[in-house]
Amino acid sequence: MLCSGAVRCQIFPSPESACRAIALEMKALVERRAAEGRMAVLGLATGRTPLPLYRELVRLHREEGLSFSNVVAFNLDEYFGLLPSHPRSYRTFMREHLFDHIDIRPENAHIPSGNLDPGDIGPHCRAYEALIEACGGIDLQILGIGRTGHIGFNEPGAGRGSRTSLVRLDHMTRTDAAGDFGGADRVPSHAITMGCGTILEARRIILMAWGAAKAGIVSEAFDNPVADEVPASYLQEHPDASVYLDKAAAADLRGHLCVEEKQHVLKD
Ligand code: PGA
């Protein structure tokens, strides 16, 4: 099930069924590392997209005993200008939806700081990168995709080699976050984000997208050649990247079958 680039696109009947498969892969990684006496290094994302994944990870922890005590997590990004305790900070998001419900050690749950003096931004970003490296690099990076084609907050033109830095958010990105902040003009104008280069160094990447609003950008990113205007398209150049979609997000992709439909075709 290949897109025209090298990225494997898997199409599921629902976000929940896709997230069950992703959570099982994460569980296998975490348990394999635990058996080796090693930490698993996860790259995590925020937004609406990963919510069913975090629900499933919390369920695996509560009902099936999956432990995150050997996990180090690095989040992709944080709004600039928000305190960690701000209700809309990504630190708060991660606590509400994942970290407060699993047994990850608080000191192992890393998120860029959005609360920095100008002179501290560069050193903070470099320290974030150095910490990822010191932990052995990211084993598995989870991504959503913005309607601009962004991964993390790397908007069109960020460049394939970009590193963790302070970036300006695209108008469309701020419009999409308007509901969370009570208006697009109240959405922070900047964020600290891992760069495309940082993200692409992860050994394995899974990008998720759900719903019709993502269908156009998914097709642009994975049916077309790699383009700087669509940062997600860089995943085509990654040796081990997969795209997990529901049917609506896959609707504009050329010539793909849903996992369930494919099983039927193979059986018939
Ligand atoms: P969303 O955002 O999950 O809220 O759609 C995705 C993204 O911007 O990466």
Side-chain angles (χ1 to χ4, degrees):
M1 211 188 274
L2 285 178
C3 298
S4 54
V7 180
R8 279 163 292 168
C9 291
Q10 300 220 51
I11 305 163
F12 288 80
S14 66
E16 287 72 23
S17 55
C19 287
R20 272 196 294 280
I22 299 168
L24 283 181
E25 180 173 336
M26 295 173 84
K27 178 175 188 275
L29 167 68
V30 170
E31 292 182 340
R32 193 168 65 244
R33 286 276 189 269
E36 296 165 354
R38 295 170 60 193
M39 303 298 281
V41 185
L42 303 178
L44 299 179
T46 47
R48 279 173 295 280
T49 306
L51 289 176
L53 175 61
Y54 295 156
R55 275 196 295 274
E56 179 61 7
L57 291 176
V58 170
R59 193 195 67 75
L60 286 173
H61 173 67
R62 285 188 180 151
E63 296 177 16
E64 299 189 21
L66 175 60
S67 174
F68 293 79
S69 58
N70 68 315
V71 167
V72 183
F74 288 95
N75 264 75
L76 285 164
D77 44 23
E78 178 59 283
Y79 286 116
F80 190 71
L82 300 191
L83 287 168
S85 58
H86 189 284
R88 295 293 171 232
S89 78
Y90 283 161
R91 168 68 67 181
T92 301
F93 176 100
M94 289 306 297
R95 292 190 58 172
E96 278 177 0
H97 295 288
L98 187 64
F99 294 154
D100 283 358
H101 310 290
I102 59 174
D103 62 343
I104 189 168
R105 295 199 192 110
E107 66 271 25
N108 287 340
H110 302 285
I111 301 183
S113 173
N115 181 40
L116 298 164
D117 290 331
D120 293 337
I121 295 169
H124 177 74
C125 294
R126 285 191 290 280
Y128 201 71
E129 298 253 344
L131 194 55
I132 294 173
E133 211 182 310
C135 291
I138 292 172
D139 290 308
L140 171 57
Q141 175 69 57
I142 299 297
L143 296 176
I145 180 171
R147 288 194 304 136
T148 59
H150 72 207
I151 47 175
F153 271 137
N154 295 284
E155 303 288 15
R160 196 197 178 293
S162 58
R163 310 303 308 186
T164 302
S165 60
L166 177 71
V167 298
R168 179 186 289 278
L169 300 182
D170 193 276
H171 178 69
M172 187 187 281
T173 298
R174 295 179 75 202
T175 305
D176 285 348
D180 291 337
F181 286 88
D185 51 350
R186 299 172 72 170
V187 178
S189 58
H190 290 74
I192 305 274
T193 183
M194 278 188 205
C196 293
T198 325
I199 292 167
L200 292 168
E201 282 169 9
R203 284 182 278 281
R204 166 128 174 86
I205 299 179
I206 297 178
L207 182 146
M208 308 174 288
W210 329 126
K214 299 288 174 75
I217 194 64
V218 163
S219 166
E220 264 186 62
F222 306 116
D223 269 338
N224 293 328
V226 174
D228 289 336
E229 296 73 45
V230 187
S233 70
Y234 296 136
L235 264 58
Q236 294 184 36
E237 298 173 347
H238 190 278
D240 192 8
S242 296
V243 175
Y244 281 59
L245 305 168
D246 67 356
K247 286 187 185 182
D252 291 356
L253 278 181
R254 292 192 281 273
H256 293 280
L257 289 175
C258 171
V259 169
E260 235 178 24
E261 287 157 357
K262 191 180 168 215
Q263 280 160 0
H264 277 299
V265 172
L266 291 176
K267 257 192 266 152
D268 294 345

